[in-house]
Amino acid sequence: SQQGEEDPQALSIQEGENATMNCSYKTSINNLQWYRQNSGRGLVHLILIRSNEREKHSGRLRVTLDTSKKSSSLLITASRAADTASYFCASRNYGGSQGNLIFGKGTKLSVKP
Amino acid sequence: ETGVTQTPRHLVMGMTNKKSLKCEQHLGHNAMYWYKQSAKKPLELMFVYSLEERVENNSVPSRFSPECPNSSHLFLHLHTLQPEDSALYLCASSGEENTEAFFGQGTRLTVV
């Protein structure tokens, strides 16, 4: 089943503004992860939040997790043109020695200088 | 560089060809993954190997055949593909259980 549905699908903001992306998932998770992808390239891991955590920070990134609503949000503060990329959430499910890592469709962020 | 290397970066093949994609990691990870990324669709998990054993196969057509000879290498063998198989194929690896994945740069596959 599809996990990690992000919204919005596309977001365009000015440099210096904050960008918020949301993600919903469907089943119980071990953790939820956010990734970034520049056009046509591989994904780069940004931040991981465990199911027993509610908020996590890394530099200009802030991630929240609400397991009761099965949702997460990624906030990028003081955005820069270099933040332009697609952002994906991925849920790490329970089960198996590694569990599945299931991605959503992503949010395409455009930061204008 | 993430430590995961995929070759080739680009591949054009006919529907009757046989080709292989290669993925290599020297991060000491014990799990490796193949994902397919098509336009306007989520990343599709194709195969998962953990400790060189296949643990997940998400109903992928048999024209895709994975091989994991050791914990550092993963292959995806392709034969008699269809044009709709054209996509970016991404390899990833992860270490300890339930940690983050490290991705290669992908192979852009075009089936003509």
Side-chain angles (χ1 to χ4, degrees):
Chain A
S1 62
Q2 178 61 44
Q3 291 266 55
E5 300 277 352
E6 294 93 335
D7 77 86
Q9 291 189 345
L11 180 62
S12 183
I13 59 174
Q14 293 295 130
E15 211 167 24
E17 294 180 340
N18 295 342
T20 300
M21 290 160 270
N22 302 298
C23 166
S24 61
Y25 57 93
K26 295 180 180 176
T27 63
S28 295
I29 60 170
N30 179 286
N31 61 66
L32 190 131
Q33 304 175 25
W34 285 89
Y35 289 78
R36 167 196 168 123
Q37 183 182 34
N38 287 358
S39 181
R41 300 179 70 82
L43 280 75
V44 176
H45 177 260
L46 295 175
I47 195 165
L48 180 155
I49 186 164
R50 302 191 188 285
S51 59
N52 61 354
E53 297 176 311
R54 292 296 167 259
E55 188 171 311
K56 201 161 185 180
H57 297 254
S58 176
R60 292 184 296 113
L61 306 179
R62 181 172 80 99
V63 168
T64 62
L65 179 65
D66 186 336
T67 53
S68 66
K69 295 180 180 178
K70 291 186 168 60
S71 67
S72 173
S73 68
L74 171 67
L75 168 68
I76 303 175
T77 60
S79 63
R80 305 166 182 168
D83 293 329
T84 295
S86 290
Y87 292 83
F88 297 86
C89 71
S91 57
R92 177 74 88 172
N93 301 335
Y94 286 102
S97 61
Q98 283 286 333
N100 286 340
L101 189 59
I102 305 297
F103 286 81
K105 294 182 182 179
T107 294
K108 194 168 186 177
L109 174 66
S110 175
V111 181
K112 298 178 181 179
Chain B
E1 289 296 329
T2 63
V4 180
T5 304
Q6 289 185 245
T7 54
R9 292 293 306 278
H10 300 272
L11 178 62
V12 179
M13 60 185 288
M15 289 189 284
T16 58
N17 290 160
K18 288 184 180 181
K19 296 285 184 183
S20 296
L21 309 185
K22 180 182 176 183
C23 178
E24 187 172 353
Q25 60 92 5
H26 294 288
L27 301 170
H29 290 166
N30 56 19
M32 296 186 78
Y33 311 77
W34 279 117
Y35 284 89
K36 174 184 177 183
Q37 187 176 34
S38 306
K40 299 181 181 179
K41 291 177 72 175
L43 272 79
E44 300 172 55
L45 178 62
M46 300 176 73
F47 300 103
V48 180
Y49 276 83
S50 178
L51 298 172
E52 301 155 44
E53 295 289 326
R54 190 160 75 188
V55 297
E56 189 72 34
N57 171 6
N58 287 345
S59 302
V60 177
S62 60
R63 57 186 184 270
F64 295 92
S65 174
E67 180 190 359
C68 188
N70 55 62
S71 59
S72 299
H73 294 86
L74 183 66
F75 295 89
L76 188 62
H77 304 299
L78 316 170
H79 64 97
T80 59
L81 294 192
Q82 305 297 311
E84 60 264 28
D85 297 322
S86 299
L88 181 66
Y89 288 84
L90 292 162
C91 172
S93 69
S94 63
E96 297 296 321
E97 187 172 332
N98 293 316
T99 56
E100 68 269 29
F102 291 75
F103 281 80
Q105 293 299 307
T107 294
R108 173 67 62 185
L109 174 67
T110 304
V111 181
V112 296

